[in-house]
Amino acid sequence: MKDPTSPATSNTSGVAWPPIAVPGQGLPRDRQARPSIGGPTAGAPHRSSRDSRPAEASAPTTASDSAGDPDPGGPEVHEGGGAAGEGTTLLDDLRTAIGRYVVLPSDEALTAVSLWVAATHIQPGLQHAPRLAVVGPTKGCGKSRLLDVLYETVHQPMMTVNTSPAVVFRVIGKNPPTLLVDEADTIFGPKAGDKEDLRGLLNAGHQRNRPAWRISGPEHKPTAFPTFAMAALAGIGDLPDTIMDRAIVIRMQKRKPGERITPFRSRYSVPELHALRDRLADWLVPQRGTVAGAVPKMPVEDRAADTWEPLVIVADLAGGHWPARARAACLAMTRNEVVQDEQTTLKTRLLRDIRRVFDQESGKEALRSQDLLAVLIQDAEAPWAEYGTKGLNAYHLAKLLRDFGISPANHRFENGRQAKAYARNQFVDAWARYCPVPGEPVSAAGRATLARPAQGQPPSPPSGSLPTGPPGGPAGARPAR
């Protein structure tokens, strides 16, 4: 992570930074970079490296320590973070710096990551420690680069690509580190083995006062290990549902050709980010006692409110445009995850309904796309007649099945006609994985039939004949509710 050639100080006044890349739009032409973003504030003590600062320097501030603050521990937090505009300017600088090195999927995601970084500096005063789930469909989406930036800006980072519950138990204390876990898919993936202890620890650590009890020491006494700590986890594909439910989810994507970023180089990137980190600590650490009693107004409820509350607290401390920006990001990203959950559930429902259609058409090894669609749409209890604007069509069907490795192919039927169709053997693997029949045994021979056909090669030609028109007549367009 650190380059031995990096300067020992944070003096970056001679560095000219390019403007930020706007997510989804590439690099704006009308915005000029600030020449010295991230420099220390006037009168604030300057630190050359977080590694050289002892852990005691950022110990939690109690209510008695903040007796000079107005209304310490009260239900509301004051805006501005002390000096007028200090918090607003600092968060703006942090947001710009993060956007320099990583193109995030949306403007709201960039806001969320900036606030999450700031929230790590007040975590001893928080009641919840939101996870940051940085996920992407493939490699090369910028997940590890985002962790690099987080490592240089969060409070007391602890980076790992693999870890055990025993290690995490022992590093979390009253002033816990910020856990940064790369390649999390290797920890929770299908080949990772039993990791339920680690998943349980990460779930429990989302809320304060949820210790893990273990037998420890030569006398084998029951010992409570604290679990409360903020954590960012990056990996390919979604993490376990219980972790995603407690996380602010950043769904990374590969950069477009027009989306440029500044290369991350230790000799100039690290001092710049360390300066921002130290400014965040100078601003936020003295306010830990104040935020302990903060009850901000939240635009969401239940666990989503618990997860986003620390970020909204930081935004309210900063004042300016940040309170409105934070709540807008909260609403947009929470709704996006609701849609993602609905899509996942919808895809599983589609697999079950297609299996039912094949069961009804017993003996047929393939169905034309239009015949399959017609049967799906005719089910009055299914959502397919109202999917989209005019009901489920061939494009929608192919898009929903794409994640399962299923796509239509040209098939020639016994009547000599060729048409796009789906073969039964394309679905066998997906049915076994996502909607298995309860109690259905899987023999060694059965497992052999679950292999997917080679990509780009259609299944063997089906036998039998198919009707020339959709069963029950053509399906008319139905408006969406």
Side-chain angles (χ1 to χ4, degrees):
M1 289 300 301
K2 297 185 184 295
D3 193 328
T5 63
S6 300
T9 65
S10 299
N11 183 13
T12 58
S13 59
V15 179
W17 299 102
I20 185 173
V22 179
Q25 300 179 13
L27 194 69
R29 298 180 179 179
D30 57 344
R31 297 179 62 183
Q32 298 296 326
R34 301 181 182 181
S36 59
I37 291 175
T41 56
H46 182 72
R47 303 179 180 91
S48 60
S49 173
R50 169 58 55 98
D51 297 335
S52 63
R53 175 163 49 187
E56 292 78 10
S58 53
T61 302
T62 62
S64 60
D65 295 333
S66 57
D69 294 337
D71 189 23
E76 296 182 358
V77 293
H78 60 282
E79 296 184 357
E86 175 190 359
T88 303
T89 302
L90 178 50
L91 289 183
D92 287 345
D93 291 350
L94 176 63
R95 190 176 186 275
T96 302
I98 294 173
R100 237 184 248 125
Y101 298 108
V102 187
V103 174
L104 289 161
S106 66
D107 188 72
E108 292 82 7
L110 181 56
T111 295
V113 171
S114 303
L115 291 170
W116 188 88
V117 168
T120 64
H121 293 273
I122 56 170
Q123 64 172 325
L126 299 174
Q127 293 301 311
H128 293 88
R131 279 74 187 94
L132 191 71
V134 185
V135 298
T138 62
K139 62 181 181 180
C141 293
K143 300 180 295 295
S144 296
R145 175 62 70 236
L146 179 56
L147 287 191
D148 290 339
V149 176
L150 295 182
Y151 183 85
E152 308 300 343
T153 52
V154 300
H155 164 73
Q156 200 172 318
M158 174 186 170
M159 176 77 82
T160 178
V161 295
N162 200 347
T163 188
S164 67
V167 172
V168 179
F169 285 149
R170 284 160 176 79
V171 298
I172 295 177
K174 292 183 179 181
N175 185 30
T178 303
L179 303 177
L180 304 175
V181 183
D182 201 1
E183 300 182 12
D185 50 300
T186 63
I187 298 177
F188 300 107
K191 298 182 180 180
D194 185 12
K195 295 289 185 178
E196 290 304 309
D197 283 349
L198 184 57
R199 179 165 66 167
L201 186 153
L202 291 170
N203 291 340
H206 178 261
Q207 186 172 348
R208 190 174 290 280
N209 299 325
R210 296 291 186 273
W213 288 86
R214 293 291 185 273
I215 299 297
S216 179
E219 298 180 0
H220 301 285
K221 291 183 178 181
T223 304
F225 290 91
T227 62
F228 184 78
M230 293 182 70
L233 301 95
I236 297 176
D238 283 4
L239 302 173
D241 289 343
T242 54
I243 293 178
M244 297 286 279
D245 191 41
R246 294 165 169 82
I248 295 161
V249 182
I250 309 297
R251 297 189 176 275
M252 302 293 288
Q253 299 173 352
K254 281 199 171 185
R255 286 189 291 121
K256 296 178 182 178
E259 291 176 328
R260 293 178 294 161
I261 59 173
T262 299
F264 186 90
R265 298 292 182 266
S266 296
R267 60 182 177 274
Y268 58 78
S269 301
V270 169
E272 169 76 5
L273 296 175
H274 279 187
L276 283 168
R277 177 202 62 194
D278 294 338
R279 290 172 61 195
L280 287 169
D282 294 337
W283 171 45
L284 291 170
V285 169
Q287 304 196 59
R288 289 176 178 175
T290 301
V291 303
V295 185
K297 294 180 180 179
M298 299 297 299
V300 293
E301 298 178 344
D302 301 327
R303 181 162 286 159
D306 296 339
T307 299
W308 277 87
E309 184 181 77
L311 279 67
V312 173
I313 288 175
V314 171
D316 287 346
L317 282 171
H321 54 265
W322 278 95
R325 172 178 279 179
R327 288 168 173 83
C330 173
L331 276 175
M333 296 183 67
T334 302
R335 288 170 179 169
N336 182 65
E337 286 309 300
V338 170
V339 172
Q340 290 286 339
D341 291 342
E342 290 176 349
Q343 286 291 329
T344 301
T345 305
L346 196 67
K347 292 173 184 178
T348 305
R349 168 68 185 268
L350 180 60
L351 288 176
R352 291 197 302 265
D353 287 353
I354 291 176
R355 180 170 57 189
R356 175 180 53 81
V357 175
F358 272 104
D359 290 343
Q360 291 174 355
E361 302 289 338
S362 57
K364 294 180 179 178
E365 295 301 321
L367 291 173
R368 293 194 310 174
S369 298
Q370 294 303 319
D371 296 334
L372 179 58
L373 283 167
V375 178
L376 292 172
I377 291 174
Q378 284 181 342
D379 187 352
E381 297 181 358
W384 313 121
E386 298 175 355
Y387 187 88
T389 57
K390 297 183 179 180
L392 189 69
N393 57 33
Y395 172 77
H396 296 149
L397 181 62
K399 186 176 181 181
L400 290 171
L401 295 174
R402 188 179 305 158
D403 288 345
F404 303 111
I406 300 171
S407 59
N410 290 323
H411 291 266
R412 188 175 298 279
F413 298 93
E414 286 188 347
N415 58 8
R417 293 186 177 183
Q418 184 172 314
K420 290 286 186 181
Y422 289 91
R424 176 192 288 270
N425 61 7
Q426 290 179 281
F427 294 90
V428 175
D429 181 71
W431 287 338
R433 293 178 184 273
Y434 298 98
C435 50
V437 176
E440 185 179 61
V442 180
S443 61
R447 285 194 295 269
T449 63
L450 298 183
R452 299 182 182 180
Q455 188 172 2
Q457 298 183 4
S460 57
S463 58
S465 60
L466 294 174
T468 57
R478 305 186 185 185
R481 290 180 180 175

